[in-house]
Amino acid sequence: MAVKKAALACTVCGSRNYSMTTNPNRTERLALNKFCKYCGKKTLHKETR
């Protein structure tokens, strides 16, 4: 079974700061509040395809 990876992109500046392994059975996109080093603050990061 292959591991599915997802990148998390900042919704403010668009940079892809985080990558993580995901559950392949999940249908909706992941959205988390994470620290963006380019914006210098915590912003919403959404999963990219």
Side-chain angles (χ1 to χ4, degrees), residues 1 4 21-27:
M1 184 166 119
K4 184 178 178 186
T21 59
T22 61
N23 183 356
N25 298 326
R26 197 182 71 238
T27 56

Side-chain angles (χ1 to χ4, degrees), residues 5-30:
K5 288 190 174 183
L8 295 178
C10 177
T11 56
V12 178
C13 67
S15 63
R16 293 181 179 181
N17 301 321
Y18 296 95
S19 64
M20 55 185 6
T21 59
T22 61
N23 183 356
N25 298 326
R26 197 182 71 238
T27 56
E28 66 277 355
R29 289 190 188 189
L30 189 62

Side-chain angles (χ1 to χ4, degrees), residues 27-40:
T27 56
E28 66 277 355
R29 289 190 188 189
L30 189 62
L32 298 171
N33 278 318
K34 298 285 236 174
F35 182 79
C36 179
K37 63 181 180 180
Y38 300 105
C39 296

